[in-house]
Each structure stands twice: as C-alpha cells, then as structure tokens.
Amino acid sequence: MIPRILVIDDEERMCWALERALSHEGYQVVTATRGLQGIELALETEPSTVILDLKMPDIDGLEVLKRLKSINPNIPVIMITAHGTIETAIEAMKIGATDYITKPFKLDELKIQVKQALHLSNLEHEVSYLRQELGEKYGKMIGQSDAIKEVALLIQQVAKTNATVLITGESGTGKEVAAVEIHKASNRGNMPFIAVNCAALPEHLLESELFGHEKGAFTGATTRKKGRFEMADKGTILLDEIGDMPISMQVKLLRVLQERCFERVGGTETIPIDVRVIATTNAELSTAIANGTFREDLYYRLNVMQIKMPPLRLRKDDIPLLVNHFLGKFDPSHTKKISPEAMKILTRYDWPGNIRELQNAIERPLIVCQNNEILPIHLPSELLENFEKATSDPIINLPEGGFSLEELEKRLIIKALEKNNYNQTRTAKYLGISRPTLLYRLNKHGLNFK
C-alpha cells in the first residue's frame, strides 16, 4: 500500500513544492491551504503522515493538530515552524506532534523526517497487530472469583518489575494466559513475546531452539539461526513446562539466567541479552528435585516470584462467565444460548481438565445443537453421568451400635466445607441453608474456620 501524505500549508507554492518532491519519492500527496480543509481531507483520505504548518489563516496550527489527534491519536504529524516559534513547536510536541522542521529547510531533510515518521507508524501498527495476535492465541483471564482476583493482583504487582516469574498449576488452568498478561502489563509490553514448549522438543533441538546455531554447527545447519532468547531481546521469553527440560539443558539455562549472556550452538561469540523470563510448570518441582530430575539451584533462580493458578473446581463462580466467553468465541453471531439446566450441570462438574476441558465442552454442543438453545442432552456424556451421580441419594452407612445425630451434622458440615474450599457462602448454598444458619451451626459445633 502506497503511503499517503497530507500537506496543510497556507502557501500554495509550498504545497506545490512539497507535493512535487514527495511524489518523486513514490508517495501519494494531497494538499490543503486551510486548516479546516485539511481536517476534512484527513477524514476523507486517512493519510499515513501529515505535514502541518504552525501558522494557518483560519484556525491555529495547534488547534488543527489537536483535531487531527482526536481523529487518529496515532497519526504522525510533522510541524513546519518559522524562526522564533520554537517554544510553540515544543508545545506541539507535547500535544502529540512527531517532529518539527524550521523554515527555511532543505527538502532532503524533510524527506528523512517523513521516512522516520512512516517507520514509527509502521512499528506502532505492528505492535498493535502482535498484541492482538497474542490475545487471540492465548486468550485473556476471565473471572470475578476471589481466587482469580488474587492472581490478577499478583500479575499487576509483578508486571511492574523485571523479576523472573514461575507460574504453577494444573494443565488447562491458564498459565500461558497469565504469562501474556504479565508481559502486556509490563514496560516490555511493546517488545517481543516469545514462547518455547520445553516438553515438545528433544534435547539437541531444544538447545538450538533456545540459543540458535552457527552455520555448520551440525548436520543440516546450512545457515546461521537466531535462538528464541536472541529473538526475545528487550522483551519476554516464556519457558513453558520447564519441569520437562532435560537436566543437561537446565545447566545451560542456569548460566544464562545468572550471566545474562549465551553462545549459539557451534559458536564462540558471547551474546548479551536483556530478557524477562517467565516459566510455567504443571509438575511438583520439589518432587522433581528430590528425584534428581530438576536442579535445586535453577528452581531458586526461577522462583523469584511464584503465581499459582487455581484449578477450575476451586473457582466455580467463574464458570458462567467462562461459558459465555466461549459461546461468543465459537458463535460470534450469538445465535445460540445455554439453557439454565445445562448451565447447572456445567457448574456442578469438577473439571479435571480445567478451562481447556470446559472450552471443549462448549465447542462440541455448538456443533451438534440444531436449535438456538443448548440443552443437557447436547453436553458430553461424562458431564451428565457425573451430575446424575452427584444428585442421587447420598449413601449413608448406619453403624449397628447407633450414632450421634450431632456428630453426624458436624462431620457433614466439615465435609461440605472441604468440598467448597472452606468458602462459607458456597458451603451454605451446597447444604441448602442460609449463611447465618451455617455460621450458627459452625459456632455450635466449635468449628472456627476462617
């Protein structure tokens, strides 16, 4: 697409000269000799860059700049100023001008400024596109439960630092999503976000993937290749499933984390890097350390800040929000909704596969459902079986010698609290009583849970 330059200057000769010079550079050029006319052209033509004279006959150049920025905050604007108006030019820069040039000026100098402005605009578009891609690939954190609010708070706190982060949790809990949220909220948010799945690559390929290689380093290395660490410079690298990294690679990674430099495979040049490291794992690293499959020194180097992603069974209040999110994702036209009966079944299930399993459970009914409402019959069979089992009469073993009804009530309350992660509101709902009634019975049995 050919860049379009809008020139706004009250001198017709200047407009003619700039149009001629910039057209020879391959740009499309439109001109205006009045400020209001220039604003109208900006709306009609959507220029890539604007060259704007500070002194205009109808409205002030600064006012034109403000209106241009209200139309498109990211549009680059180069101000043309006269001698003695430098202070006004600086004011224009504060409003949002990209650069300024003082009359009289050389056309070659202005051409360079136009190229720089277009390059900056392209970078901003690329960053915006990449951020959108990140959101589409990894999604976003959704939920209002206390558990997910705590995670969101930790993310905001750690994002402001350059600390290495270890994100733990079961498969499907959204560890990668949390990593992206940290990156986007940090001062590196406009720089690269590079992810590596440490479990998906064998050792000899993982080293080349992380650190790159030189030409001839091994059979098939026909050219030099940059590694993921080098690609992530000034940005963030995500080491997904770090617990599956081979022990020999852990030694090399530890050196990179300590010294902030590395060599490509087959190379001797030491390459410094400035990278924020985020690692994720669904494994118990303390067990791996005890088994000798994970280095303790690497664990402490990674575990500067730990964020534990809660399983979905401990944040069931978020299930309706997640369900509606996935409905919108897979059915953008919103032609289908979920019935209250189907939602009840979804909220009763414990979701061993967590959010990933829930997503699959929503995508399938949208395919098989022929009407505009998803009913229980459209849900996966394991959900229906679980619901039938959970809602059937509870089995109570009655001892021959009898038992205390008070003790039975106490044990029932304890079991209900454990099932609901000691959340009193959910426990009361589960038992079919009000929260004040639950508090009364807790006090009655001396159960002082906080």
Side-chain angles (χ1 to χ4, degrees):
M1 183 176 176
I2 300 174
R4 183 180 292 110
I5 313 297
L6 171 61
V7 178
I8 308 175
D9 195 302
D10 63 329
E11 296 181 25
E12 292 187 8
R13 183 175 178 78
M14 176 64 75
C15 288
W16 175 84
L18 293 180
E19 180 179 8
R20 186 167 180 271
L22 294 172
S23 295
H24 285 167
E25 295 296 309
Y27 304 127
Q28 292 181 9
V29 184
V30 290
T31 64
T33 56
R34 294 290 184 273
L36 293 174
Q37 180 192 9
I39 294 167
E40 289 176 3
L41 279 174
L43 285 167
E44 293 173 11
T45 63
E46 298 182 357
S48 308
T49 296
V50 176
I51 299 172
L52 171 64
D53 192 5
L54 192 57
K55 296 296 182 182
M56 301 297 295
D58 50 352
I59 60 172
D60 184 68
L62 290 179
E63 181 61 30
V64 176
L65 174 63
K66 290 176 184 177
R67 296 196 194 182
L68 290 173
K69 284 293 178 177
S70 68
I71 296 169
N72 180 2
N74 297 319
I75 189 171
V77 179
I78 300 170
M79 304 297 298
I80 299 177
T81 68
H83 282 301
T85 59
I86 298 301
E87 288 184 3
T88 312
I90 293 172
E91 185 180 347
M93 297 286 283
K94 291 178 181 178
I95 294 171
T98 306
D99 207 345
Y100 69 90
I101 190 167
T102 305
K103 294 179 180 178
F105 56 82
K106 295 179 180 178
L107 283 174
D108 287 343
E109 184 181 351
L110 180 62
K111 289 175 184 177
I112 291 172
Q113 288 185 326
V114 169
K115 284 183 179 179
Q116 290 174 337
L118 288 170
H119 179 64
L120 177 63
S121 178
N122 289 336
L123 284 177
E124 288 176 347
H125 283 304
E126 185 177 346
V127 167
S128 176
Y129 172 75
L130 290 173
R131 288 174 73 92
Q132 182 180 348
E133 269 203 332
L134 275 180
E136 290 175 355
K137 182 177 180 180
Y138 292 99
K140 58 182 180 179
M141 282 210 312
I142 293 170
Q144 291 294 325
S145 64
D146 291 341
I148 210 65
K149 283 181 179 178
E150 184 177 343
V151 169
L153 178 60
L154 287 173
I155 285 174
Q156 292 302 316
Q157 290 173 338
V158 76
K160 299 172 184 177
T161 74
N162 282 315
T164 303
V165 183
L166 178 64
I167 305 176
T168 63
E170 299 173 11
S171 293
T173 51
K175 298 186 291 295
E176 298 91 344
V177 174
V180 171
E181 293 287 341
I182 292 170
H183 171 72
K184 291 196 296 187
S186 73
N187 58 6
R188 299 172 182 265
N190 292 333
M191 303 306 288
F193 178 89
I194 305 295
V196 185
N197 189 327
C198 300
L201 296 168
E203 181 177 348
H204 67 285
L205 290 180
L206 182 58
E207 183 176 7
S208 171
E209 196 67 27
L210 288 175
F211 308 125
H213 61 252
E214 297 289 349
K215 180 179 179 181
F218 49 82
T219 303
T222 56
T223 60
R224 170 188 281 183
K225 176 189 173 183
K226 282 186 177 183
R228 298 299 182 94
F229 268 97
E230 199 169 349
M231 292 164 62
D233 193 37
K234 302 295 187 296
T236 303
I237 188 166
L238 169 62
L239 302 176
D240 194 18
E241 299 305 343
I242 190 75
D244 294 322
M245 178 178 282
I247 197 81
S248 58
M249 277 300 301
Q250 294 176 30
V251 178
K252 296 172 183 177
L253 175 60
L254 180 63
R255 175 177 175 260
V256 174
L257 295 179
Q258 289 173 335
E259 301 179 14
R260 296 289 165 175
C261 61
F262 65 94
E263 293 87 36
R264 299 189 189 99
V265 177
T268 56
E269 178 189 1
T270 299
I271 302 170
I273 49 163
D274 172 19
V275 174
R276 208 260 181 81
V277 176
I278 302 177
T280 70
T281 181
N282 62 9
E284 286 292 341
L285 293 186
S286 56
T287 303
I289 291 169
N291 294 336
T293 59
F294 201 84
R295 292 182 62 96
E296 188 173 14
D297 47 3
L298 176 59
Y299 172 74
Y300 288 119
R301 182 65 67 169
L302 291 171
N303 195 30
V304 176
M305 177 69 182
Q306 183 175 155
I307 296 177
K308 185 172 179 61
M309 297 301 294
L312 190 53
R313 63 182 175 274
L314 298 184
R315 43 176 295 214
K316 288 192 173 183
D317 292 350
D318 292 333
I319 289 176
L321 293 173
L322 288 162
V323 168
N324 289 326
H325 168 72
F326 291 133
L327 283 174
K329 177 180 178 180
F330 298 124
D331 180 30
S333 58
H334 301 284
T335 57
K336 295 179 182 179
K337 63 179 182 178
I338 193 156
S339 69
E341 296 80 12
M343 183 68 83
K344 187 175 183 180
I345 292 172
L346 293 170
T347 55
R348 289 286 188 95
Y349 188 59
D350 275 346
W351 301 106
N354 293 296
I355 298 171
R356 192 175 295 127
E357 185 183 6
L358 174 62
Q359 176 175 314
N360 293 338
I362 298 303
E363 188 173 10
R364 179 184 177 277
L366 285 171
I367 296 171
V368 300
C369 179
Q370 298 300 312
N371 51 40
N372 61 0
E373 187 174 46
I374 297 172
L375 302 171
I377 195 173
H378 300 126
L379 298 176
S381 58
E382 59 267 26
L383 271 68
L384 300 177
E385 292 168 4
N386 175 81
F387 183 75
E388 289 173 3
K389 184 178 178 181
T391 54
S392 62
D393 291 336
I395 298 172
I396 301 175
N397 294 317
L398 300 176
E400 291 295 331
F403 62 94
S404 166
L405 190 59
E406 292 288 314
E407 183 63 24
L408 178 63
E409 181 182 73
K410 179 179 179 180
R411 291 187 182 185
L412 180 62
I413 290 173
I414 291 172
K415 287 290 185 183
L417 284 164
E418 289 174 350
K419 185 174 181 64
N420 290 281
N421 198 33
Y422 295 93
N423 183 295
Q424 294 176 353
T425 301
R426 288 205 301 264
T427 300
K429 186 177 179 181
Y430 179 78
L431 292 172
I433 59 177
S434 67
R435 189 168 181 272
T437 300
L438 175 64
L439 293 174
Y440 166 76
R441 295 184 185 278
L442 287 173
N443 185 59
K444 170 186 170 184
H445 293 296
L447 301 173
N448 298 315
F449 295 109
K450 293 183 179 179

